[in-house]
Amino acid sequence: MRAAIDLFAEQGYDATTVNEIAERAGGLTKTTFFRHFSDKREVLYAGQELHGRIVSDAIGGAPDSATPLQMVASAVDELAAVFTEDRREMAGKLRKVIAESAELQERAAFKRAALVGAMTAALRERRVPELVAELAAELGTRAFYGAFGRWAVAEDPRTLVEHARQAFGELRAAMSELE
Amino acid sequence: MRAAIDLFAEQGYDATTVNEIAERAGGLTKTTFFRHFSDKREVLYAGQELHGRIVSDAIGGAPDSATPLQMVASAVDELAAVFTEDRREMAGKLRKVIAESAELQERAAFKRAALVGAMTAALRERRVPELVAELAAELGTRAFYGAFGRWAVAEDPRTLVEHARQAFGELRAAMSELE
DNA sequence: TAGCGTGATGTTACCAAGTCACATCACCAC
DNA sequence: GTGGTGATGTGACTTGGTAACATCACGCTA
């Protein structure tokens, strides 16, 4: 993964071949690469099933007294907590690489949708009505991604959790302005 | 496009080759296919730039007195109006094909995000604050896609516009339940 | 210590997506 | 009929992705 990110950052995603990535990652070959990642894009997104589990667990473990938005807030909190400061630099590189490739943005959109889906399903499990669940999940995901983007550029010393809480609050406020 | 949808429906997306599509579409070849569509997936989504323009124009043309949600409602209305009854059958086939291919769902997620982006930009243009614009655009897009899915299965005689209006209203109600 | 299974890797060959340079052909205008 | 233009075909190429088979290192056990 490190080899891939570095090569993508140096030469661009399209100009980098899977063989090059494998080669840099310790003289390996294409075949080995595809044994670890289902395709070339996935090398940048591997491990995100974990994110789905994290938000599901957070929502599943929220107290019965919690409102849907409180459940989502705790999910966003737990997810944001995964990204400790030492991952910030890599996140910044990643963001830049993705911003330059339509193919990678497509995968990103898919992963984002999967996160919304995971939150929605977990909320439904908690007997939140479908549409309310969808909107709450969307709001949480939007807060997380917005916060992630600002955190990754690193011009602000606050942690991702702090960024996420602020983003969540702002989105909530914006929602109440929507009549 | 018709050749592609039919072949995908018959054999599945993965099992269909671009050469086959071109061949069925009047004895053409791969090269010609790629002159019309940037890649294999795009054959199912071509023409969606138009959707972006439609929602932008609707929002841009809304009266100054309109609220953000009213602007979005008119955008959804105009977009839904594009899908006349004669397109319903094709839409149903399309839905099924997409549901069976991860690759196509990825492209769909991307196009959906583009639609949200187009609405957001148009709302910003109308001086709607960023976060309010994002949420309104998301709500409108969600209403449209939900309605589209129900319209395409064809078990309900109502037009897409009617479906969309109902979906929009329901989402609005769900939003106000979100504290 | 010999041998055996297992997991990670390499090799080779293959298919299909996507690109490119160059050729062809039909059609329209002058 | 001459020339330009747009759509198409051809052939060669790169690369992502798959599959079958071989290799090698390691640890376990007889």
Side-chain angles (χ1 to χ4, degrees):
Chain A
M1 288 179 59
R2 233 175 303 126
I5 292 191
D6 288 344
L7 279 167
F8 292 163
E10 288 168 22
Q11 326 172 338
Y13 173 81
D14 289 321
T16 302
T17 177
V18 170
N19 260 324
E20 285 180 281
I21 300 171
E23 175 57 36
R24 174 159 324 185
L28 304 179
T29 64
K30 199 172 77 156
T31 310
T32 300
F33 178 94
F34 285 115
R35 284 203 185 94
H36 290 279
F37 308 102
S38 58
D39 61 42
K40 186 181 166 189
R41 309 166 247 338
E42 196 63 14
V43 68
L44 297 186
Y45 298 98
Q48 297 215 359
E49 325 76 50
L50 178 63
H51 300 172
R53 277 210 305 283
I54 288 170
V55 296
S56 295
D57 290 352
I59 291 172
D64 281 328
S65 61
T67 66
L69 277 187
Q70 283 166 345
M71 293 182 188
V72 168
S74 81
V76 171
D77 245 55
E78 303 245 340
L79 181 55
V82 168
F83 294 86
T84 46
E85 278 311 302
D86 55 305
R87 298 179 65 173
R88 201 176 201 157
E89 192 192 333
M90 201 50 90
K93 266 195 213 173
L94 194 60
R95 242 183 70 80
K96 214 182 283 180
V97 168
I98 293 176
E100 280 168 0
S101 158
E103 216 170 315
L104 290 176
Q105 286 165 45
E106 216 170 297
R107 178 61 50 93
F110 191 62
K111 296 289 184 176
R112 186 194 190 282
L115 189 63
V116 175
M119 283 197 211
T120 305
L123 288 168
R124 210 164 24 212
E125 252 343 73
R126 298 299 306 265
R127 315 234 161 249
V128 175
E130 176 66 23
L131 296 185
V132 177
E134 287 180 16
L135 288 176
E138 173 63 34
L139 192 145
T141 303
R142 192 166 288 275
F144 177 76
Y145 273 78
F148 189 87
R150 286 184 289 278
W151 174 73
V153 300
E155 277 148 5
D156 186 325
R158 284 175 299 165
T159 65
L160 178 53
V161 172
E162 292 170 311
H163 272 101
R165 284 185 183 152
Q166 180 179 347
F168 196 86
E170 287 172 355
L171 272 172
R172 237 175 124 146
M175 194 180 63
S176 52
E177 279 180 48
L178 217 48
E179 289 126 310
Chain B
M1 287 179 60
R2 233 176 303 127
I5 292 192
D6 288 343
L7 280 167
F8 292 164
E10 289 168 22
Q11 327 174 333
Y13 173 81
D14 289 321
T16 302
T17 174
V18 170
N19 259 322
E20 286 179 281
I21 301 171
E23 176 56 36
R24 175 161 320 187
L28 304 179
T29 62
K30 200 171 77 154
T31 312
T32 300
F33 178 95
F34 286 114
R35 284 203 184 94
H36 290 280
F37 308 102
S38 59
D39 60 43
K40 187 181 166 190
R41 311 168 245 337
E42 196 63 14
V43 68
L44 297 185
Y45 298 97
Q48 297 215 359
E49 324 76 51
L50 177 64
H51 300 172
R53 276 211 304 282
I54 288 169
V55 298
S56 294
D57 290 352
I59 292 172
D64 281 329
S65 60
T67 65
L69 278 186
Q70 284 167 345
M71 293 182 187
V72 168
S74 81
V76 171
D77 246 56
E78 303 246 338
L79 181 54
V82 168
F83 295 85
T84 46
E85 278 311 302
D86 55 306
R87 298 180 66 174
R88 202 176 200 157
E89 193 192 331
M90 200 50 89
K93 267 195 214 173
L94 193 61
R95 243 183 71 80
K96 213 182 284 182
V97 168
I98 293 176
E100 280 168 359
S101 157
E103 216 170 314
L104 290 175
Q105 286 165 46
E106 216 170 297
R107 178 62 50 92
F110 192 61
K111 296 290 184 176
R112 186 193 190 282
L115 189 64
V116 174
M119 283 198 211
T120 305
L123 287 168
R124 210 165 23 213
E125 205 71 8
R126 297 300 304 266
R127 315 236 162 247
V128 175
E130 175 68 23
L131 296 186
V132 176
E134 287 180 16
L135 288 176
E138 173 62 36
L139 192 145
T141 302
R142 191 166 288 276
F144 177 77
Y145 273 78
F148 189 87
R150 286 183 290 276
W151 174 73
V153 299
E155 278 148 5
D156 186 324
R158 284 176 298 167
T159 65
L160 178 54
V161 172
E162 292 170 311
H163 272 102
R165 283 185 186 153
Q166 180 180 346
F168 196 86
E170 288 172 355
L171 272 172
R172 238 176 122 145
M175 193 179 64
S176 52
E177 279 180 48
L178 216 51
E179 294 126 309

